[in-house]
Coordinates of all heavy atoms in Angstrom, one line a residue:
M1 N -22.0 -5.6 11.2 CA -22.6 -4.5 10.5 C -21.8 -3.3 10.5 O -21.4 -2.9 11.6 CB -24.0 -4.3 11.0 CG -24.7 -3.1 10.3 SD -26.3 -2.8 10.9 CE -27.2 -2.6 9.5
R2 N -21.5 -2.7 9.4 CA -20.7 -1.5 9.3 C -21.6 -0.3 9.5 O -22.6 -0.2 8.9 CB -19.9 -1.5 8.0 CG -18.9 -2.6 7.9 CD -18.2 -2.5 6.6 NE -19.2 -3.1 5.6 CZ -18.8 -3.5 4.4 NH1 -17.5 -3.5 4.1 NH2 -19.7 -4.0 3.6
V3 N -21.1 0.7 10.3 CA -21.9 1.9 10.5 C -21.6 2.9 9.5 O -22.5 3.6 8.9 CB -21.7 2.4 11.9 CG1 -22.5 3.6 12.1 CG2 -22.1 1.3 12.9
M4 N -20.3 3.1 9.2 CA -19.9 4.2 8.2 C -19.1 3.6 7.1 O -18.3 2.7 7.4 CB -19.2 5.3 9.0 CG -19.9 6.0 10.0 SD -19.0 7.2 10.9 CE -18.7 8.4 9.6
S5 N -19.2 4.1 5.9 CA -18.3 3.6 4.9 C -16.9 4.2 4.9 O -16.0 3.6 4.3 CB -19.0 3.9 3.5 OG -19.3 5.3 3.4
L6 N -16.7 5.4 5.5 CA -15.4 5.9 5.6 C -15.2 6.3 7.1 O -15.9 7.1 7.6 CB -15.2 7.2 4.7 CG -13.9 7.9 4.8 CD1 -12.8 6.9 4.3 CD2 -13.9 9.2 4.0
M7 N -14.2 5.7 7.7 CA -13.8 6.1 9.0 C -12.3 6.4 9.1 O -11.5 5.9 8.2 CB -14.1 4.9 10.0 CG -15.6 4.6 10.1 SD -16.1 3.4 11.3 CE -15.1 2.1 11.1
T8 N -11.9 7.1 10.1 CA -10.4 7.5 10.2 C -9.9 7.2 11.6 O -10.7 7.2 12.6 CB -10.2 9.0 9.8 OG1 -10.9 9.8 10.8 CG2 -10.6 9.3 8.4
N9 N -8.6 7.0 11.7 CA -7.9 6.9 12.9 C -6.8 7.9 12.8 O -6.0 7.8 11.8 CB -7.3 5.5 13.2 CG -8.4 4.5 13.4 OD1 -8.7 3.8 12.5 ND2 -8.9 4.4 14.6
G10 N -6.6 8.8 13.7 CA -5.6 9.8 13.6 C -6.2 11.2 13.3 O -7.4 11.3 12.9
I11 N -5.5 12.2 13.5 CA -6.0 13.6 13.4 C -4.9 14.4 12.6 O -3.7 14.3 12.9 CB -6.2 14.2 14.7 CG1 -7.3 13.5 15.5 CG2 -6.7 15.7 14.6 CD1 -7.5 13.9 16.9
A12 N -5.4 15.2 11.6 CA -4.5 16.1 10.9 C -4.1 17.2 11.8 O -4.9 17.6 12.6 CB -5.2 16.6 9.6
P13 N -2.9 17.8 11.7 CA -1.9 17.4 10.8 C -1.2 16.2 11.3 O -1.0 16.0 12.5 CB -0.9 18.6 10.8 CG -1.1 19.3 12.1 CD -2.6 19.0 12.5
G14 N -0.8 15.3 10.4 CA -0.1 14.1 10.8 C -0.6 12.9 10.0 O -1.4 13.1 9.1
P15 N -0.2 11.7 10.4 CA -0.6 10.5 9.7 C -2.1 10.2 10.1 O -2.5 10.3 11.3 CB 0.3 9.4 10.2 CG 0.9 10.0 11.5 CD 0.8 11.4 11.4
V16 N -2.9 9.8 9.1 CA -4.2 9.4 9.3 C -4.4 8.1 8.6 O -4.0 7.9 7.4 CB -5.2 10.5 8.8 CG1 -6.7 10.0 9.0 CG2 -5.0 11.8 9.5
R17 N -5.1 7.1 9.2 CA -5.4 5.8 8.6 C -6.9 5.9 8.2 O -7.7 6.2 9.0 CB -5.2 4.7 9.5 CG -5.7 3.4 8.9 CD -5.0 2.2 9.4 NE -3.7 2.1 8.8 CZ -2.8 1.1 9.1 NH1 -3.2 0.1 9.9 NH2 -1.7 1.1 8.5
F18 N -7.2 5.6 7.0 CA -8.5 5.6 6.4 C -9.0 4.2 6.3 O -8.2 3.3 5.8 CB -8.6 6.3 5.1 CG -8.3 7.8 5.2 CD1 -7.0 8.3 5.2 CD2 -9.4 8.7 5.3 CE1 -6.8 9.6 5.3 CE2 -9.1 10.0 5.4 CZ -7.8 10.5 5.4
H19 N -10.2 3.9 6.6 CA -10.9 2.6 6.5 C -12.1 2.9 5.6 O -13.0 3.6 6.0 CB -11.3 2.0 7.8 CG -10.2 1.9 8.8 ND1 -9.3 0.9 8.8 CD2 -9.8 2.8 9.8 CE1 -8.4 1.1 9.8 NE2 -8.7 2.2 10.4
L20 N -12.1 2.2 4.4 CA -13.2 2.5 3.5 C -13.9 1.1 3.2 O -13.3 0.1 3.0 CB -12.5 3.0 2.2 CG -13.4 3.5 1.1 CD1 -14.3 4.6 1.5 CD2 -12.5 3.9 -0.1
A21 N -15.2 1.2 3.3 CA -16.0 0.0 3.0 C -17.1 0.3 1.9 O -17.6 1.4 1.9 CB -16.8 -0.4 4.3
C22 N -17.3 -0.7 1.1 CA -18.3 -0.5 0.0 C -19.7 -0.5 0.6 O -20.0 -1.3 1.5 CB -18.1 -1.7 -1.0 SG -19.2 -1.5 -2.4
D23 N -20.5 0.4 0.1 CA -21.9 0.5 0.6 C -22.9 -0.3 -0.2 O -24.1 -0.3 0.1 CB -22.3 2.0 0.6 CG -21.7 2.7 1.7 OD1 -21.7 2.2 2.8 OD2 -21.2 3.9 1.5
R24 N -22.5 -1.0 -1.3 CA -23.5 -1.8 -2.1 C -23.9 -3.0 -1.2 O -23.1 -3.7 -0.7 CB -22.8 -2.2 -3.4 CG -23.9 -2.9 -4.3 CD -23.2 -3.3 -5.6 NE -24.1 -4.1 -6.3 CZ -24.7 -3.7 -7.5 NH1 -24.5 -2.5 -7.9 NH2 -25.5 -4.5 -8.1
M25 N -25.2 -3.2 -1.1 CA -25.8 -4.2 -0.3 C -25.2 -5.6 -0.8 O -25.1 -5.9 -1.9 CB -27.3 -4.3 -0.4 CG -27.9 -5.3 0.5 SD -29.7 -5.2 0.5 CE -29.9 -3.7 1.4
G26 N -24.7 -6.3 0.2 CA -24.1 -7.6 -0.1 C -22.6 -7.6 -0.3 O -22.0 -8.7 -0.3
C27 N -22.0 -6.5 -0.7 CA -20.6 -6.4 -0.9 C -19.8 -6.2 0.4 O -20.2 -5.5 1.2 CB -20.3 -5.2 -1.9 SG -18.5 -5.2 -2.3
R28 N -18.8 -6.9 0.5 CA -18.0 -6.9 1.7 C -16.6 -6.3 1.5 O -15.7 -6.4 2.3 CB -17.9 -8.2 2.4 CG -19.3 -8.8 2.7 CD -19.4 -10.0 3.5 NE -18.8 -9.9 4.8 CZ -19.4 -9.3 5.9 NH1 -20.5 -8.7 5.8 NH2 -18.8 -9.4 7.1
A29 N -16.4 -5.6 0.3 CA -15.1 -5.1 0.0 C -14.7 -3.9 1.0 O -15.5 -3.1 1.3 CB -15.1 -4.5 -1.4
E30 N -13.5 -4.0 1.4 CA -12.9 -3.0 2.3 C -11.5 -2.7 1.9 O -10.8 -3.6 1.4 CB -13.0 -3.4 3.8 CG -14.4 -3.7 4.3 CD -14.4 -4.1 5.8 OE1 -13.3 -3.9 6.4 OE2 -15.4 -4.5 6.2
V31 N -11.0 -1.5 2.2 CA -9.6 -1.2 2.0 C -9.2 -0.2 3.1 O -10.0 0.6 3.6 CB -9.4 -0.6 0.6 CG1 -10.1 0.7 0.4 CG2 -7.9 -0.5 0.3
S32 N -7.9 -0.3 3.5 CA -7.4 0.7 4.4 C -6.1 1.3 3.8 O -5.4 0.6 3.1 CB -7.0 0.1 5.8 OG -8.1 -0.4 6.4
F33 N -5.9 2.6 4.1 CA -4.7 3.2 3.6 C -4.3 4.3 4.5 O -5.1 4.9 5.3 CB -4.8 3.7 2.1 CG -5.9 4.8 2.0 CD1 -5.5 6.1 2.0 CD2 -7.2 4.5 1.8 CE1 -6.5 7.1 1.8 CE2 -8.2 5.4 1.6 CZ -7.8 6.8 1.6
D34 N -3.0 4.7 4.5 CA -2.5 5.7 5.3 C -2.2 6.9 4.5 O -1.7 6.8 3.3 CB -1.2 5.3 6.1 CG -1.5 4.1 7.0 OD1 -2.5 4.2 7.7 OD2 -0.6 3.2 7.1
L35 N -2.4 8.1 5.0 CA -2.1 9.4 4.3 C -1.6 10.4 5.4 O -2.2 10.5 6.4 CB -3.4 9.9 3.7 CG -3.3 11.1 2.8 CD1 -2.4 11.0 1.6 CD2 -4.7 11.5 2.4
V36 N -0.5 11.0 5.1 CA 0.0 12.1 5.9 C -0.7 13.4 5.4 O -0.5 13.8 4.3 CB 1.5 12.2 5.9 CG1 2.0 13.4 6.8 CG2 2.1 10.9 6.5
I37 N -1.4 14.0 6.3 CA -2.1 15.3 6.0 C -1.4 16.4 6.7 O -1.3 16.4 7.9 CB -3.6 15.2 6.4 CG1 -4.3 14.1 5.7 CG2 -4.3 16.5 6.1 CD1 -5.7 13.8 6.1
A38 N -0.9 17.4 5.9 CA -0.1 18.5 6.5 C -0.9 19.6 7.1 O -0.5 20.3 8.0 CB 0.8 19.0 5.4
D39 N -2.1 19.8 6.6 CA -3.0 20.9 7.0 C -3.8 20.5 8.2 O -4.4 19.5 8.2 CB -3.9 21.4 5.9 CG -3.1 21.8 4.6 OD1 -2.0 22.4 4.8 OD2 -3.6 21.6 3.5
S40 N -3.9 21.5 9.1 CA -4.8 21.3 10.3 C -6.2 21.4 9.8 O -6.5 22.2 8.9 CB -4.5 22.3 11.4 OG -3.2 22.1 11.9
P41 N -7.2 20.7 10.5 CA -8.6 20.9 10.1 C -9.0 22.3 10.7 O -8.4 22.9 11.6 CB -9.3 19.8 10.9 CG -8.4 19.4 11.9 CD -7.0 19.7 11.5
P42 N -10.1 22.9 10.1 CA -10.7 24.1 10.7 C -11.2 23.9 12.1 O -11.3 22.8 12.5 CB -11.8 24.5 9.7 CG -12.1 23.3 8.9 CD -10.9 22.4 9.0
D43 N -11.5 25.0 12.7 CA -12.0 24.9 14.1 C -13.3 24.1 14.1 O -14.0 24.1 13.1 CB -12.3 26.3 14.7 CG -11.0 27.1 14.9 OD1 -10.0 26.5 15.1 OD2 -11.1 28.4 14.8
T44 N -13.6 23.5 15.2 CA -14.8 22.6 15.3 C -16.1 23.3 14.8 O -16.8 22.6 14.1 CB -15.0 22.1 16.7 OG1 -13.8 21.4 17.1 CG2 -16.2 21.2 16.8
P45 N -16.4 24.5 15.1 CA -17.6 25.1 14.6 C -17.7 25.1 13.0 O -18.7 25.0 12.4 CB -17.6 26.5 15.1 CG -16.8 26.5 16.3 CD -15.7 25.5 16.0
E46 N -16.5 25.2 12.4 CA -16.5 25.3 10.9 C -16.4 23.9 10.4 O -16.8 23.6 9.2 CB -15.2 26.0 10.5 CG -15.2 27.5 10.8 CD -13.9 28.2 10.4 OE1 -13.4 27.8 9.4 OE2 -13.5 29.0 11.2
D47 N -16.0 22.9 11.1 CA -15.8 21.6 10.7 C -16.7 20.7 11.5 O -16.3 20.2 12.5 CB -14.3 21.1 10.7 CG -14.0 19.9 9.9 OD1 -14.9 19.5 9.1 OD2 -13.0 19.3 10.2
H48 N -18.0 20.5 11.1 CA -19.0 20.0 12.0 C -18.7 18.6 12.6 O -19.3 18.3 13.6 CB -20.3 19.9 11.2 CG -20.7 21.2 10.7 ND1 -21.8 21.4 9.8 CD2 -20.2 22.5 10.8 CE1 -21.9 22.7 9.5 NE2 -20.9 23.3 10.1
R49 N -17.8 17.8 12.0 CA -17.6 16.5 12.6 C -16.2 16.3 13.1 O -15.7 15.2 13.0 CB -17.9 15.4 11.5 CG -19.4 15.5 11.1 CD -19.7 14.4 10.1 NE -21.0 14.6 9.5 CZ -21.4 14.2 8.4 NH1 -20.6 13.5 7.6 NH2 -22.7 14.5 8.0
G50 N -15.7 17.3 13.7 CA -14.4 17.2 14.3 C -13.2 16.8 13.4 O -12.3 16.1 13.9
G51 N -13.2 17.3 12.2 CA -12.0 17.0 11.3 C -12.3 16.0 10.3 O -11.5 15.9 9.3
I52 N -13.3 15.1 10.4 CA -13.5 14.1 9.4 C -13.7 14.7 8.0 O -13.1 14.2 7.0 CB -14.5 13.1 9.8 CG1 -14.0 12.3 11.0 CG2 -14.9 12.1 8.6 CD1 -15.0 11.4 11.6
P53 N -14.6 15.7 7.8 CA -14.8 16.2 6.5 C -13.5 16.8 5.9 O -13.2 16.5 4.7 CB -15.8 17.3 6.7 CG -16.6 16.9 7.9 CD -15.6 16.2 8.8
H54 N -12.7 17.4 6.6 CA -11.4 18.0 6.2 C -10.5 16.8 5.7 O -10.0 16.8 4.6 CB -10.7 18.8 7.3 CG -9.3 19.1 7.0 ND1 -8.9 20.1 6.1 CD2 -8.1 18.6 7.5 CE1 -7.6 20.1 6.0 NE2 -7.1 19.2 6.9
E55 N -10.4 15.8 6.5 CA -9.5 14.7 6.2 C -10.0 13.9 5.0 O -9.3 13.5 4.2 CB -9.3 13.8 7.5 CG -8.5 14.6 8.5 CD -8.7 14.1 9.9 OE1 -9.6 13.3 10.2 OE2 -7.9 14.6 10.8
A56 N -11.4 13.7 5.0 CA -11.9 13.0 3.9 C -11.7 13.7 2.6 O -11.5 13.1 1.5 CB -13.4 12.7 4.1
G57 N -11.8 15.0 2.6 CA -11.6 15.9 1.4 C -10.1 15.7 1.0 O -9.9 15.7 -0.3
Q58 N -9.2 15.6 1.9 CA -7.8 15.5 1.5 C -7.6 14.1 0.9 O -6.7 13.9 0.0 CB -6.9 15.6 2.7 CG -7.0 17.0 3.4 CD -6.4 18.1 2.5 OE1 -5.3 17.9 2.0 NE2 -7.1 19.2 2.4
A59 N -8.3 13.1 1.3 CA -8.2 11.7 0.8 C -8.9 11.5 -0.5 O -8.6 10.5 -1.2 CB -8.6 10.7 1.9
R60 N -9.8 12.3 -0.9 CA -10.7 12.1 -2.1 C -9.9 11.7 -3.3 O -10.2 10.8 -4.0 CB -11.5 13.3 -2.3 CG -12.5 13.1 -3.5 CD -13.5 14.2 -3.6 NE -14.5 13.8 -2.6 CZ -15.5 14.6 -2.3 NH1 -15.6 15.8 -2.8 NH2 -16.5 14.2 -1.5
P61 N -8.8 12.4 -3.7 CA -8.0 12.0 -4.9 C -7.5 10.6 -4.8 O -7.4 9.9 -5.8 CB -6.9 13.0 -5.0 CG -7.3 14.2 -4.1 CD -8.2 13.6 -3.1
Y62 N -7.0 10.2 -3.6 CA -6.4 8.9 -3.4 C -7.5 7.8 -3.5 O -7.3 6.7 -4.1 CB -5.7 8.8 -2.1 CG -4.6 9.7 -2.0 CD1 -4.7 11.0 -1.4 CD2 -3.3 9.4 -2.6 CE1 -3.7 11.9 -1.4 CE2 -2.3 10.4 -2.6 CZ -2.5 11.6 -2.0 OH -1.5 12.5 -1.9
I63 N -8.7 8.1 -3.0 CA -9.8 7.2 -3.1 C -10.2 7.0 -4.5 O -10.4 5.9 -5.0 CB -11.0 7.7 -2.2 CG1 -10.6 7.6 -0.7 CG2 -12.3 6.9 -2.5 CD1 -11.6 8.4 0.2
R64 N -10.3 8.1 -5.3 CA -10.7 8.0 -6.7 C -9.6 7.2 -7.5 O -9.9 6.4 -8.3 CB -10.8 9.4 -7.2 CG -11.3 9.5 -8.7 CD -11.3 10.9 -9.2 NE -10.0 11.5 -9.2 CZ -9.8 12.6 -8.5 NH1 -10.7 13.3 -7.8 NH2 -8.5 13.1 -8.5
D65 N -8.3 7.5 -7.2 CA -7.2 6.8 -7.9 C -7.3 5.3 -7.6 O -6.8 4.5 -8.5 CB -5.9 7.3 -7.5 CG -5.6 8.7 -8.0 OD1 -6.4 9.2 -8.9 OD2 -4.7 9.4 -7.6
M66 N -7.8 4.8 -6.5 CA -7.9 3.4 -6.2 C -9.1 2.8 -6.9 O -9.4 1.6 -6.8 CB -8.0 3.1 -4.7 CG -6.7 3.4 -4.0 SD -6.8 2.9 -2.2 CE -8.1 4.0 -1.6
G67 N -9.9 3.6 -7.6 CA -11.1 3.1 -8.3 C -12.4 3.1 -7.6 O -13.4 2.6 -8.1
W68 N -12.4 3.7 -6.4 CA -13.6 3.8 -5.6 C -14.4 5.0 -6.0 O -13.8 6.0 -6.5 CB -13.3 3.9 -4.1 CG -12.8 2.6 -3.5 CD1 -11.6 1.9 -3.8 CD2 -13.5 1.8 -2.6 NE1 -11.6 0.8 -3.1 CE2 -12.7 0.6 -2.3 CE3 -14.7 1.9 -2.0 CZ2 -13.1 -0.4 -1.5 CZ3 -15.1 0.9 -1.1 CH2 -14.3 -0.2 -0.8
H69 N -15.7 5.0 -5.9 CA -16.5 6.1 -6.3 C -17.5 6.5 -5.2 O -18.0 5.7 -4.5 CB -17.3 5.8 -7.6 CG -16.5 5.5 -8.8 ND1 -16.0 6.5 -9.6 CD2 -15.9 4.4 -9.3 CE1 -15.2 6.0 -10.5 NE2 -15.2 4.7 -10.3
I70 N -17.7 7.8 -5.1 CA -18.7 8.3 -4.2 C -20.1 8.1 -4.8 O -20.3 8.4 -5.9 CB -18.5 9.8 -3.9 CG1 -17.1 10.0 -3.2 CG2 -19.6 10.4 -3.0 CD1 -16.7 11.4 -3.1
T71 N -21.0 7.6 -3.9 CA -22.4 7.3 -4.4 C -23.1 8.6 -4.6 O -22.7 9.7 -4.1 CB -23.2 6.4 -3.5 OG1 -23.2 7.1 -2.2 CG2 -22.5 5.1 -3.3
Q72 N -24.2 8.6 -5.4 CA -24.9 9.7 -5.7 C -25.4 10.3 -4.4 O -25.9 9.6 -3.5 CB -26.1 9.4 -6.6 CG -26.9 10.6 -7.1 CD -28.0 10.2 -8.1 OE1 -28.2 9.0 -8.4 NE2 -28.6 11.2 -8.6
G73 N -25.3 11.6 -4.2 CA -25.6 12.3 -3.0 C -24.5 12.4 -2.0 O -24.5 13.2 -1.1
G74 N -23.4 11.7 -2.3 CA -22.2 11.8 -1.5 C -22.2 11.1 -0.1 O -21.4 11.3 0.7
E75 N -23.2 10.2 0.1 CA -23.3 9.6 1.4 C -22.5 8.4 1.6 O -22.3 7.9 2.7 CB -24.8 9.2 1.7 CG -25.7 10.4 1.9 CD -26.3 10.9 0.5 OE1 -26.3 10.1 -0.4 OE2 -26.7 12.0 0.4
G76 N -22.0 7.8 0.5 CA -21.2 6.5 0.7 C -20.3 6.3 -0.5 O -20.1 7.2 -1.3
Y77 N -19.7 5.1 -0.5 CA -18.7 4.7 -1.5 C -19.0 3.4 -2.1 O -19.6 2.5 -1.4 CB -17.3 4.7 -0.8 CG -16.9 6.0 -0.3 CD1 -17.3 6.4 1.0 CD2 -16.1 6.9 -1.1 CE1 -16.9 7.7 1.5 CE2 -15.7 8.1 -0.6 CZ -16.1 8.5 0.7 OH -15.7 9.7 1.1
R78 N -18.6 3.2 -3.3 CA -18.7 1.9 -4.0 C -17.3 1.5 -4.4 O -16.5 2.3 -4.9 CB -19.5 2.0 -5.2 CG -21.0 2.3 -4.9 CD -21.8 1.1 -5.2 NE -23.2 1.2 -4.8 CZ -24.2 1.1 -5.5 NH1 -24.1 0.9 -6.8 NH2 -25.4 1.2 -5.0
C79 N -17.0 0.2 -4.2 CA -15.7 -0.4 -4.6 C -15.5 -0.4 -6.1 O -16.5 -0.2 -6.8 CB -15.5 -1.8 -4.0 SG -16.5 -3.0 -4.7
P80 N -14.4 -0.6 -6.6 CA -14.2 -0.7 -8.1 C -15.1 -1.6 -8.8 O -15.7 -1.3 -9.8 CB -12.7 -1.0 -8.3 CG -12.0 -0.5 -7.0 CD -13.1 -0.8 -5.9
A81 N -15.3 -2.8 -8.2 CA -16.2 -3.8 -8.9 C -17.6 -3.4 -8.9 O -18.3 -3.5 -9.9 CB -16.0 -5.2 -8.2
C82 N -18.1 -2.9 -7.8 CA -19.5 -2.4 -7.7 C -19.7 -1.1 -8.5 O -20.8 -0.8 -8.9 CB -19.9 -2.3 -6.2 SG -20.0 -3.8 -5.4
S83 N -18.7 -0.3 -8.6 CA -18.8 0.9 -9.4 C -19.2 0.6 -10.9 O -19.8 1.4 -11.5 CB -17.5 1.7 -9.3 OG -17.3 2.1 -8.0
L84 N -18.7 -0.6 -11.4 CA -19.0 -0.9 -12.7 C -20.4 -1.5 -12.9 O -20.9 -1.5 -14.1 CB -18.0 -2.0 -13.2 CG -16.5 -1.5 -13.2 CD1 -15.6 -2.7 -13.6 CD2 -16.3 -0.3 -14.2
R85 N -21.1 -1.9 -11.9 CA -22.4 -2.5 -11.9 C -23.5 -1.4 -11.9 O -23.3 -0.4 -11.3 CB -22.7 -3.5 -10.8 CG -21.7 -4.6 -10.7 CD -22.1 -5.5 -9.5 NE -21.0 -6.4 -9.3 CZ -20.7 -7.0 -8.2 NH1 -21.4 -6.7 -7.1 NH2 -19.7 -7.8 -8.1
R86 N -24.6 -1.7 -12.5 CA -25.7 -0.8 -12.4 C -26.6 -1.2 -11.3 O -26.7 -2.4 -11.0 CB -26.5 -0.9 -13.7 CG -25.8 -0.4 -14.9 CD -26.1 1.0 -15.2 NE -25.4 1.5 -16.4 CZ -24.7 2.5 -16.5 NH1 -24.6 3.3 -15.4 NH2 -24.2 2.9 -17.6
G87 N -27.3 -0.2 -10.6 CA -28.3 -0.5 -9.6 C -27.8 -0.5 -8.2 O -26.8 -0.3 -7.8

């Protein structure tokens, strides 16, 4: 069972590996990609989850370019195939 649809290994600035899993029930699509992030994350009080929001924000254009979509409310992701389906 997957706990999070987007997880990272690595800390900005520098190389970060992203692991993305589809949140549609029954779908097992996953993808990993590497991205070098040049900017440091804000201080921990400003970045509530220790850098993940900063890094996820930097990866958003790449995730979109791969055909993945953020689910309504922004809590998860759908793979390209599931993004085309309704429901």
Side-chain angles (χ1 to χ4, degrees):
M1 175 182 225
R2 295 177 285 200
V3 178
M4 297 179 67
S5 55
L6 179 67
M7 297 188 308
T8 61
N9 295 96
I11 299 172
V16 178
R17 174 158 284 183
F18 291 84
H19 305 278
L20 189 59
C22 184
D23 285 316
R24 185 177 172 111
M25 187 174 285
C27 183
R28 303 192 59 77
E30 296 183 13
V31 68
S32 293
F33 63 96
D34 297 321
L35 182 63
V36 176
I37 300 175
D39 301 325
S40 296
D43 293 333
T44 302
E46 294 176 36
D47 197 16
H48 304 176
R49 295 183 189 156
I52 293 175
H54 167 75
E55 291 155 351
Q58 298 292 314
R60 182 169 277 172
Y62 300 96
I63 293 169
R64 184 183 60 240
D65 289 347
M66 290 187 296
W68 287 68
H69 295 275
I70 297 173
T71 60
Q72 188 173 6
E75 294 88 19
Y77 296 87
R78 293 248 172 125
C79 70
C82 291
S83 295
L84 298 175
R85 297 180 194 155
R86 297 262 185 231

